[in-house]
Amino acid sequence: MDCEEADWDQINISKLEQEVKDVPGIEAKLLNVADKDQVTALVVHNGTIMDCEEADWDQTMNVNLKSMYFLCRAVIPKMVAQGSGSIVNMSSSASNIKGVPMRFAYSVSKAGINGLTKAIAADFITKGVRCNSICPATVETPSLKERINATPDPVKARADFIARQKMGRVGKPEEIAALALYLASDESGYTTGQELVIDGGWSLA
């Protein structure tokens, strides 16, 4: 469904708000992903380990990984109590899936998400709680456009992003959303602890 056509008033998130209300720094909010001012969900630090200062490392881990630790801890007890639940974590192919130059801190944080996902899946599989992660490559998002436009040559920057994708294009938000919906639904009831790679073949040798 096109997010601009969605009837946002009909979506009730009060239950999630109650589950995370006592966790500092976490706010349950329904976001219109087409609005770049609403979406600030990750940190992409550019560089190697030698370019990564401790402050860069801490910010990347706090935003990309520690936030998921807090949120999972907040919702798992309720899922265990009701005997069911599905956690869908957003990771990346730039992680333990694929080594990517100049993405040191980001890749480590995303590999951590995949480890967190597998650990939770193993710990709570007998409690009816599933946990999976989505590992995309480059996706056409407001954040991507912002990063491209911030370069000295946006046309070349976009061409470079596309050139590394074996399918000759970047991913569509709708493609990622469809996978997330599947993992959150009962249709994926036999799937847990998995890193679902959706990267247009980017991680292939």
Side-chain angles (χ1 to χ4, degrees):
M1 180 170 56
D2 188 325
C3 60
E4 292 182 351
E5 296 176 355
D7 188 351
W8 301 107
D9 292 336
Q10 297 301 312
I11 304 176
N12 189 341
I13 61 167
S14 60
K15 183 177 180 182
L16 179 57
E17 287 177 329
Q18 287 300 310
E19 291 174 345
V20 301
K21 65 181 177 65
D22 295 326
V23 182
I26 292 183
E27 177 184 1
K29 186 176 181 182
L30 186 64
L31 300 179
N32 179 348
V33 295
D35 183 351
K36 69 176 183 179
D37 292 328
Q38 291 192 30
V39 182
T40 54
L42 57 84
V43 171
V44 182
H45 180 263
N46 186 48
T48 71
I49 187 173
M50 301 310 298
D51 303 307
C52 183
E53 300 295 336
E54 185 176 359
D56 300 320
W57 172 269
D58 288 344
Q59 181 191 31
T60 300
M61 296 305 150
N62 286 342
V63 174
N64 294 354
L65 180 56
K66 194 173 183 179
S67 59
M68 291 195 180
Y69 157 79
F70 280 128
L71 189 53
C72 288
R73 276 181 57 90
V75 300
I76 285 173
K78 305 296 177 63
M79 292 180 173
V80 169
Q82 68 186 19
S84 66
S86 177
I87 297 171
V88 183
N89 291 324
M90 187 58 65
S91 184
S92 172
S93 285
S95 58
N96 56 298
I97 304 295
K98 177 181 175 69
V100 181
M102 304 298 288
R103 289 292 183 271
F104 166 70
Y106 176 82
S107 295
V108 173
S109 71
K110 293 300 184 176
I113 290 169
N114 290 337
L116 175 144
T117 295
K118 287 182 177 295
I120 289 174
D123 285 337
F124 296 97
I125 189 169
T126 61
K127 306 295 184 181
V129 178
R130 298 184 296 111
C131 189
N132 295 286
S133 62
I134 296 176
C135 301
T138 306
V139 178
E140 189 66 63
T141 62
S143 172
L144 176 66
K145 293 177 183 176
E146 215 168 63
R147 288 163 58 198
I148 287 174
N149 291 334
T151 65
D153 188 346
V155 173
K156 182 180 183 302
R158 176 169 287 279
D160 289 343
F161 271 115
I162 294 174
R164 73 182 190 179
Q165 298 298 137
K166 292 178 171 63
M167 285 189 174
R169 68 174 178 86
V170 298
K172 301 175 183 177
E174 297 87 347
E175 293 168 325
I176 311 304
L179 178 56
L181 181 60
Y182 167 72
L183 291 174
S185 74
D186 291 339
E187 298 293 323
S188 62
Y190 204 52
T191 303
T192 193
Q194 301 304 304
E195 303 155 347
L196 281 297
V197 177
I198 178 169
D199 67 1
W202 184 47
S203 56
L204 296 174

